[in-house]
């Protein structure tokens, strides 16, 4: 038995033909979908990048306990469980956050890993004299990426093509082996939306403005022509990633590996490209363009190919699915209680649902819930967003450790057995004393636009253009949210922060 996970970063599923709009031409993702089960109601859990990966690799939601951070020492990761059961794992990735402070212990859980250099601000190409920002340029500009960019010439010099090419080469070299997981993870189509000349030139014919490839996060603040151009760049970058995904699928074709290989395609989160007048992620409410993800699962031998599944599924479900794929009982083999459930009973028809609702969000921001019909964004009850603590045994976050420079009052930091689901002692750090390096990942409520509850009826308004004001439905969703948070081991303070009572049942809100 073999398994391959193909993870592309920041895929807005509306750009994929299999979800209806085909804003990008992705024949290889479509090709995989034709052999597979397609999940139509798949959702993110913890956001953004590293919290999403911790969900994927532990089978548990983490955004109720802490923000961006490492695999914790009390996590029982996918790689560890596979190794303990005789399954080899290898990751090929250009996602450089794995190698920054705040991204510890992820790739190290695999038996081996390959890191492809050069994405975004990866400190790779070294030069003391940093390049200056060009005069005709809008959006973000990072001198480190400008240096990295000097190492890219033709298309297969770019990091994501190199990543997927190396994954294909690894699979070719190990095609006759058994009992392995290949995790092929490309950073594209994450920004910067940079492209080789042959892919960029066709879309420059319709755009005459300043260079624009790296959008600012938040409210759209560029002319309409620039917005259209950045959407074109995103489409072309997704198409480039799709092309190289095809190289990996070619190996499966060439050696008929489809017969005994599970192949999963998905993303960590989505991305806004002008929808709701927002760009990117993090600052704004977690609209569907961010929260609803593509998920394609090829079962060995092509069983159930062409089936579409409407049941609610979530990123945490991949962990138990992969274990079951290798004949490993997720409940017996994992030391921690899982929040995810195997997708296989859905795929083969043993059940028609795994859950009635699910929750998702960023640490310290709105906690969001959907039951498939409604989606409800619940904000903090008080302006100070409290009470709120970071719970961690590894006090690092994006780009830095939580040391004296980032904690205003060190005497407020405590240690103890504060998490209900593990006996491992953790630091308990009050949220209001922490300074973050990147405010987009701050637990402080950033911007007035997220400091309110929101309710949308997904069946009638899938694009979430019209808020619904219905006290009865909101009460019902509050009850479901309370129950769901309890099932996901939420710290007691999270109920207080959101103005909910942890001891209330769903029926109490009717």
């Amino acid at each position: 038995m073999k398994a391959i996970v193909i993870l592309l970063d920041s895929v807005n599923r509306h750009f994929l033909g299999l979800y209806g709009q085909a804003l990008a031409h992705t024949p290889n993702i479509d090709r995989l979908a034709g052999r597979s089960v397609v999940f139509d109601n798949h959702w993110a859990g913890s956001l953004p990048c590293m919290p999403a990966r911790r969900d994927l690799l532990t089978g548990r939601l983490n955004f109720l306990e802490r923000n961006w951070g490492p695999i914790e020492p009390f996590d029982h990761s996918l790689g560890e469980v596979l190794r303990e059961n005789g399954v080899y794992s290898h990751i090929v990735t250009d996602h450089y956050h794995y190698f920054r402070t705040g991204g510890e212990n992820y790739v190290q859980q695999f038996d081996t890993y390959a890191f492809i250099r050069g994405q975004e601000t990866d400190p790779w190409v070294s030069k003391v004299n940093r390049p200056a920002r060009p005069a005709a340029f809008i959006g973000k500009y990072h001198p480190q990426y400008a240096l990295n960019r000097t190492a890219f010439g033709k298309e297969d010099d770019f990091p994501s093509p190199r990543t997927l090419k190396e994954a294909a080469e690894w699979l070719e070299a190990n095609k006759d082996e058994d009992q392995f997981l290949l995790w092929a993870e490309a950073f594209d189509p994450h920004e910067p939306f940079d492209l080789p000349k042959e892919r960029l030139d066709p879309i420059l014919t319709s755009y005459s403005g300043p260079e624009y490839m790296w959008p600012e996060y938040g409210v759209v603040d560029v002319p309409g022509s620039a917005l259209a151009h950045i959407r074109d760049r995103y489409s072309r970058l997704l198409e480039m990633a799709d092309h190289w995904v095809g190289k990996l699928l070619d190996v499966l074709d060439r050696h008929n590996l489809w017969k005994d290989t599970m192949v999963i395609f998905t993303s960590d989160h989505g991305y806004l490209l002008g929808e709701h007048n927002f760009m990117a992620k993090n600052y704004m409410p977690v609209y569907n363009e961010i929260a609803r993800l593509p998920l394609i699962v090829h079962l060995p031998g092509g069983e159930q190919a062409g089936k579409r599944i409407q049941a609610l599924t979530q990123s945490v479900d991949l962990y138990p699915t992969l274990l079951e794929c290798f004949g490993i009982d997720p409940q017996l083999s994992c030391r921690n209680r899982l929040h995810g459930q195997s997708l296989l009973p859905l795929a083969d028809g043993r059940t028609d649902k795994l859950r009635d609702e699910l929750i998702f969000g960023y640490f310290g921001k709105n906690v969001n819930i959907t039951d498939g019909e409604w989606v409800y964004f619940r904000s903090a009850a008080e302006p100070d967003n409290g009470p709120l603590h970071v719970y961690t045994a590894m006090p690092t976050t994006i780009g830095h450790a939580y040391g004296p420079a980032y904690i205003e009052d060190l005497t407020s930091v405590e240690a103890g057995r504060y998490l209900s689901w593990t006996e491992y002692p953790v630091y308990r750090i009050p949220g209001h004393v922490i300074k973050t390096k990147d405010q987009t990942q701050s637990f402080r409520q950033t911007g007035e636009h997220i400091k309110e509850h929101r309710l949308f009826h997904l069946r009638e308004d899938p694009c979430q253009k019209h808020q619904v004001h219905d006290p009865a439905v909101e009460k019902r969703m509050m009850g479901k949210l309370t129950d769901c948070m309890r099932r996901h081991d939420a710290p007691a303070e999270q109920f207080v922060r959101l103005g909910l009572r942890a001891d209330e049942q769903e029926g109490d809100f009717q």
Side-chain angles (χ1 to χ4, degrees):
M1 185 64 202
K2 309 172 180 66
I4 301 169
V5 173
I6 303 170
L7 180 68
L8 301 185
D9 199 296
S10 303
V11 176
N12 180 324
R13 76 177 206 166
H14 293 165
F15 282 69
L16 300 177
L18 71 155
Y19 289 107
Q21 296 192 36
L23 300 175
H25 180 58
T26 54
N28 292 296
I29 294 172
D30 293 345
R31 167 183 161 198
L32 175 60
R35 290 180 169 270
S36 306
V37 179
V38 175
F39 291 79
D40 289 322
N41 217 356
H42 186 63
W43 295 73
S46 305
L47 300 162
C49 296
M50 300 316 291
R53 283 160 177 77
R54 189 174 168 211
D55 280 7
L56 286 164
L57 293 171
T58 65
R60 292 182 54 86
L61 293 180
N62 64 86
F63 78 95
L64 296 171
E65 297 171 0
R66 70 153 301 159
N67 57 345
W68 178 295
I71 292 286
E72 298 278 357
F74 47 83
D75 288 336
H76 196 190
S77 75
L78 177 63
E80 288 181 292
V81 179
L82 292 177
R83 185 182 308 112
E84 290 162 3
N85 287 272
V87 179
Y88 189 92
S89 62
H90 178 68
I91 179 172
V92 185
T93 182
D94 59 341
H95 192 95
Y96 77 108
H97 291 306
Y98 282 130
F99 301 89
R100 299 179 68 190
T101 301
E104 298 90 350
N105 296 342
Y106 286 88
V107 299
Q108 293 83 358
Q109 305 303 315
F110 292 82
D111 287 295
T112 49
Y113 60 86
F115 177 29
I116 308 302
R117 304 297 302 271
Q119 284 285 13
E120 208 178 45
T121 58
D122 175 20
W124 181 40
V125 175
S126 180
K127 189 176 182 182
V128 173
N129 187 17
R130 316 288 280 176
R133 180 188 178 101
F137 195 96
I138 58 175
K140 293 181 181 179
Y141 175 80
H142 287 283
Q144 182 60 61
Y145 183 71
L147 288 174
N148 292 346
R149 184 63 175 80
T150 63
F152 311 154
K154 56 188 184 303
E155 180 165 314
D156 56 8
D157 292 331
F158 280 69
S160 284
R162 288 165 52 211
T163 297
L164 293 164
K165 179 182 178 184
E166 179 155 331
E169 291 171 348
W170 189 94
L171 184 60
E172 183 76 47
N174 290 277
K175 63 183 184 298
D176 297 324
E177 303 299 332
D178 198 15
Q179 294 295 98
F180 68 74
L181 166 67
L182 170 60
W183 191 282
E185 179 177 333
F187 198 61
D188 290 342
H190 192 291
E191 80 277 355
F193 305 145
D194 192 11
L195 294 157
K197 186 177 186 301
E198 60 271 21
R199 290 190 182 270
L200 184 60
D201 281 351
I203 61 175
L204 290 177
T205 59
S206 59
Y207 177 67
S208 58
E211 184 174 357
Y212 182 35
M213 67 175 178
W214 201 328
E216 297 281 0
Y217 284 25
V219 176
V220 173
D221 63 351
V222 297
S225 60
L227 178 60
H229 177 64
I230 206 71
R231 288 176 66 88
D232 282 345
R233 277 183 173 261
Y234 177 87
S235 294
R236 293 303 174 103
L237 191 60
L238 180 56
E239 290 171 0
M240 184 172 79
D242 175 84
H243 172 78
W244 291 92
V245 166
K247 303 297 184 184
L248 185 54
L249 303 185
D250 289 346
V251 181
L252 288 148
D253 284 342
R254 195 156 50 241
H255 303 291
N256 192 26
L257 299 180
W258 298 102
K259 65 181 184 301
D260 62 350
T261 304
M262 172 180 280
V263 183
I264 297 175
F265 171 86
T266 192
S267 186
D268 54 348
H269 52 71
Y271 199 92
L272 287 162
L273 289 138
E275 302 92 339
H276 312 284
N277 200 38
F278 285 116
M279 185 64 69
K281 57 187 189 290
N282 300 347
Y283 281 104
M284 64 291 296
V286 189
Y287 290 111
N288 282 357
E289 291 85 356
I290 298 171
R292 292 189 75 178
L293 308 179
L295 178 62
I296 302 168
V297 179
H298 166 78
L299 300 176
E303 292 182 23
Q304 308 296 327
K307 186 175 183 179
R308 307 281 298 220
I309 291 179
Q310 304 301 319
L312 289 170
T313 60
Q314 196 166 27
S315 294
V316 289
D317 296 333
L318 268 63
Y319 178 108
T321 301
L322 287 163
L323 292 185
E324 187 174 343
C325 160
F326 286 106
I328 303 167
D329 188 316
Q331 304 303 326
L332 295 179
S333 299
C334 183
R335 290 191 291 271
N336 297 328
R337 188 171 70 87
L338 298 178
H339 295 152
Q341 301 178 62
S342 173
L343 299 167
L344 296 185
L346 278 176
D348 63 21
R350 280 177 282 162
T351 186
D352 60 0
K353 69 175 181 178
L354 299 181
R355 54 178 62 82
D356 292 315
E357 60 272 321
L358 54 81
I359 55 174
F360 56 95
Y362 298 84
F363 175 76
K365 296 186 180 181
N366 295 356
V367 178
N368 314 291
I369 183 167
T370 185
D371 59 4
E373 179 178 5
W374 297 90
V375 66
Y376 179 54
F377 303 159
R378 181 76 182 180
S379 69
E382 299 296 334
D384 67 358
N385 197 32
L388 183 68
H389 294 83
V390 170
Y391 294 94
T392 179
M394 293 191 63
T396 62
T397 189
I398 181 170
H400 66 84
Y402 282 134
Y406 291 94
I407 298 182
E408 296 170 0
D409 179 12
L410 287 171
T411 64
S412 65
V413 179
E414 301 174 304
R417 291 174 173 82
Y418 295 114
L419 295 178
S420 63
W421 59 276
T422 178
E423 287 297 310
Y424 204 98
V426 296
Y427 293 105
R428 185 173 184 261
I429 310 173
H432 70 279
V433 306
I434 292 179
K435 300 174 185 176
T436 59
K437 190 172 183 178
D438 182 347
Q439 289 301 312
T440 69
Q441 271 104 40
S442 173
F443 44 80
R444 294 182 172 98
Q445 299 270 10
T446 310
E448 293 301 320
H449 49 266
I450 65 170
K451 291 184 177 178
E452 63 178 40
H453 312 318
R454 293 175 183 239
L455 179 68
F456 297 96
H457 194 269
L458 292 183
R459 291 182 185 170
E460 295 182 359
D461 180 27
C463 295
Q464 297 171 290
K465 293 184 177 180
H466 308 288
Q467 289 191 61
V468 176
H469 301 282
D470 187 325
V473 174
E474 183 171 359
K475 284 185 178 180
R476 186 164 71 248
M477 296 306 289
M478 287 168 61
K480 291 183 177 185
L481 176 59
T482 301
D483 188 53
C484 206
M485 287 174 59
R486 191 163 46 235
R487 293 198 307 271
H488 288 82
D489 309 305
E493 69 203 45
Q494 286 280 9
F495 298 92
V496 179
R497 184 177 77 90
L498 298 174
L500 304 170
R501 283 179 50 189
D503 59 340
E504 288 181 299
Q505 302 294 322
E506 182 182 330
D508 298 331
F509 290 90
Q510 302 303 312

